[in-house]
Amino acid sequence: MGKAQIGVYGLGTMGSALALNMAEHGFDVAVTNREADWIGPFMTEAGDLAERLDPHDKFQGFVAALERPRIILFMIPSGAPMDEMLEQVTPLLEPGDIVIDGGNADFHDTRRRVGKLSVSRLYHVGLGVSGGEAGARHGPSMMMGGSAEAWARIAPILTAIAARHEGSPCVAHLGPDGAGHFVKTVHNGIEYADMQVIAEIYSLMRNGLALPPAEIGALFESWNGGPLRSYLVEITAKLLTYADPETGHPMIDVIKDAAGQKGTGRWSVIEALRMGQSPSMIEAAVGARSWSSEKDTRQRAEAVLGGAVGAVDASPEVLAEAFLAARILAHAQGFRVLAAASEDYDWSLDFATIARIWRAGCIIRSALLDEIAVAFEGDLPEGQLILDPGLAQTLARCVPALRQVVCSAVHGGHPVPALSAGLAWYDSMRLGHGSANMIQAQRDMFGHHGFERLGQAGVHHGPWWD
């Protein structure tokens, strides 16, 4: 093998899958790992692809094996490990070399690193990679943030290995510095909301309609043939048919109901609040995962507060309509966060492009993204997805079902934090008038001369103020 066209550092689940994907597409790839004993098994598992892989147990040899200007993809934990690696690799690089961070990095860190490496005339790229192990191996969705010069260099490789939707690669240069990692963060936030909505719909069918998992799975399978088609609906249908080999019970019943989280959903909420946005469905999903982790507390509370729930007055057809409304609202909130960041950081994000590259390879890929891409390509009123004529028409049809489901769930004691948050946001947005005047009036009264200030502002004092 001659000089490798790209190097991959980090042979964990994602790094090894991406390296094999690149090799399969005809690229020569140098590989290494902090734990050198991982390299041998990886090369063995590579099979015939090993001839395009150049393994190195020494970091200096790995860097020296790359053609210049060099391209190195780091697939390592975000945060301090990446900073430590940059300190190690920078002295070995030359102007024009490209360092790609393919982890779930905080976009603030990415922006800082771009500035730091630019002093040495090095390019730092923040690459959001979605799709899990299968996506990395056979075609992920990738969101690149960095300079146009770096994109021109790495585009041939990323375009070749990306997922494809009707022939179009699901990868794009989205903007400078941290744009790619931020878009990936919001992708994960929408993913949290979508997963929470699915969990709530499942729970209502299981505990409110008394349907067995296999029957619910069949419903999800049927939904995946229509407007709710998505990767998450597809895998939900499959997992609900699995049986635990030890007990014979449905697998879903033997899994502890305490969901973990890696932090990207929480980052979405934090950054949104910093920018004055409130993606309430993502917030609800993050909160639900946090509450779920308190399993012991919840079990004690059940004994004290009671855990009985009532029947739900909603057919599977109504639940499907409510699900579609909730999915539209979750995406609408996510794109509002992207719009706020694009303005704050001067990224000029192309939202139609983002929707298009999410149509395959990533976790939230769904039929809905086709409609969203078309909406952003048109003259979208106020830039708001819920005002797109087509989506607004779907919401007009489906929100009554969402309203019925939320009302019935609340009446029966079923927690539906994401569904109810979506409905409340929709109702708040559709009303040209609301209750915020009361909040503002209360704020005005906090001062020593509250009445005078209200009068000076020309506010009409109703009976409450007299």
Side-chain angles (χ1 to χ4, degrees):
M1 176 187 290
K3 291 286 187 177
Q5 294 156 283
I6 187 171
V8 176
Y9 182 101
L11 295 176
T13 299
M14 294 293 288
S16 58
L18 285 170
L20 293 174
N21 190 349
M22 293 173 188
E24 190 170 59
H25 282 87
F27 297 100
D28 294 326
V29 186
V31 296
T32 190
N33 195 72
R34 185 181 65 176
E35 297 86 358
D37 57 353
W38 288 28
I39 300 174
F42 166 73
M43 293 298 294
T44 300
E45 293 173 7
D48 294 341
L49 294 177
E51 63 184 29
R52 286 207 170 269
L53 300 170
D54 184 12
H56 293 269
D57 57 3
K58 300 296 183 183
F59 188 67
Q60 290 81 356
F62 164 74
V63 174
L66 300 173
E67 66 179 25
R68 300 180 184 183
R70 304 173 182 90
I71 302 173
I72 304 177
L73 170 62
F74 287 97
M75 297 301 298
I76 62 177
S78 59
M82 189 64 200
D83 284 325
E84 294 169 4
M85 183 52 62
L86 289 177
E87 291 296 327
Q88 181 180 346
V89 72
T90 299
L92 304 177
L93 300 180
E94 299 172 348
D97 289 349
I98 299 173
V99 174
I100 306 172
D101 179 359
N104 279 329
D106 185 324
F107 82 104
H108 291 296
D109 288 340
T110 306
R111 300 185 76 219
R112 170 177 55 80
R113 291 165 184 152
V114 167
K116 184 175 181 179
L117 267 66
S118 67
V119 174
S120 301
R121 292 188 293 163
L122 301 173
Y123 296 111
H124 184 71
V125 168
L127 184 67
V129 181
S130 180
E133 180 181 4
R137 179 63 184 86
H138 302 291
S141 171
M142 292 175 286
M143 295 139 265
M144 185 271 198
S147 70
E149 294 82 1
W151 170 247
R153 287 271 317 286
I154 65 178
I157 298 175
L158 298 186
T159 301
I161 70 169
R164 274 170 165 69
H165 180 80
E166 298 179 352
S168 299
C170 293
V171 60
H173 177 212
L174 299 178
D177 52 72
H181 274 149
F182 187 83
V183 172
K184 174 59 163 56
T185 297
V186 174
H187 164 282
N188 287 15
I190 297 172
E191 176 188 327
Y192 271 48
D194 207 9
M195 293 175 72
Q196 178 63 28
V197 167
I198 288 173
E200 291 174 18
I201 294 291
Y202 161 77
S203 179
L204 291 175
M205 287 195 282
R206 186 72 193 277
N207 302 314
L209 297 181
L211 299 180
E215 189 171 338
I216 300 173
L219 286 169
F220 272 95
E221 184 177 6
S222 68
W223 292 349
N224 199 45
L228 285 170
R229 177 174 55 83
S230 73
Y231 172 69
L232 287 172
V233 169
E234 177 187 347
I235 64 171
T236 299
K238 292 178 179 178
L239 70 88
L240 288 173
T241 65
Y242 290 164
D244 175 36
E246 294 186 8
T247 65
H249 296 306
M251 182 64 75
I252 190 69
D253 288 348
V254 299
I255 297 174
K256 183 178 180 180
D257 66 326
Q261 54 184 309
K262 294 182 178 180
T264 47
R266 184 167 61 246
W267 290 352
S268 295
V269 174
I270 292 170
E271 296 306 326
L273 293 175
R274 284 177 176 168
M275 295 183 294
Q277 296 294 314
S278 177
S280 59
M281 295 184 71
I282 301 175
E283 293 169 5
V286 172
R289 292 196 188 198
S290 298
W291 304 330
S292 78
S293 67
E294 300 183 46
K295 178 68 173 177
D296 293 341
T297 301
R298 291 189 291 114
Q299 288 180 322
R300 297 189 70 175
E302 181 178 358
V304 175
L305 305 177
V309 293
V312 170
D313 181 20
S315 66
E317 292 75 20
V318 169
L319 287 165
E321 295 277 86
F323 184 2
L324 181 56
R327 174 170 282 170
I328 293 172
L329 296 173
H331 281 71
Q333 289 189 350
F335 275 96
R336 281 168 56 88
V337 176
L338 289 175
S342 183
E343 182 175 350
D344 279 11
Y345 297 103
D346 195 24
W347 285 336
S348 299
L349 295 177
D350 185 331
F351 306 119
T353 293
I354 292 171
R356 284 196 297 267
I357 66 173
W358 284 351
R359 294 180 300 177
C362 72
I363 304 301
I364 65 170
R365 57 187 185 265
S366 70
L368 177 61
L369 287 163
D370 283 315
E371 295 183 62
I372 290 176
V374 171
F376 277 118
E377 288 168 340
D379 185 17
L380 191 59
E382 302 293 327
Q384 302 294 323
L385 276 177
I386 59 172
L387 300 184
D388 171 71
L391 293 174
Q393 185 175 13
T394 301
L395 287 171
R397 186 188 80 242
C398 295
V399 164
L402 177 60
R403 201 177 302 284
Q404 177 183 338
V405 168
V406 170
C407 289
S408 185
V410 171
H411 183 72
H414 300 269
V416 284
L419 292 173
S420 57
L423 179 60
W425 180 70
Y426 174 82
D427 283 338
S428 296
M429 292 297 288
R430 72 181 179 83
L431 293 178
H433 61 280
S435 58
N437 55 341
M438 174 60 72
I439 297 171
Q440 187 59 45
Q442 291 171 332
R443 291 182 69 251
D444 287 340
M445 288 296 294
F446 292 162
H448 183 65
H449 300 291
F451 284 105
E452 291 83 350
R453 195 160 61 243
L454 283 169
Q456 291 168 0
V459 177
H460 172 70
H461 297 172
W464 185 77
W465 299 112
D466 294 335

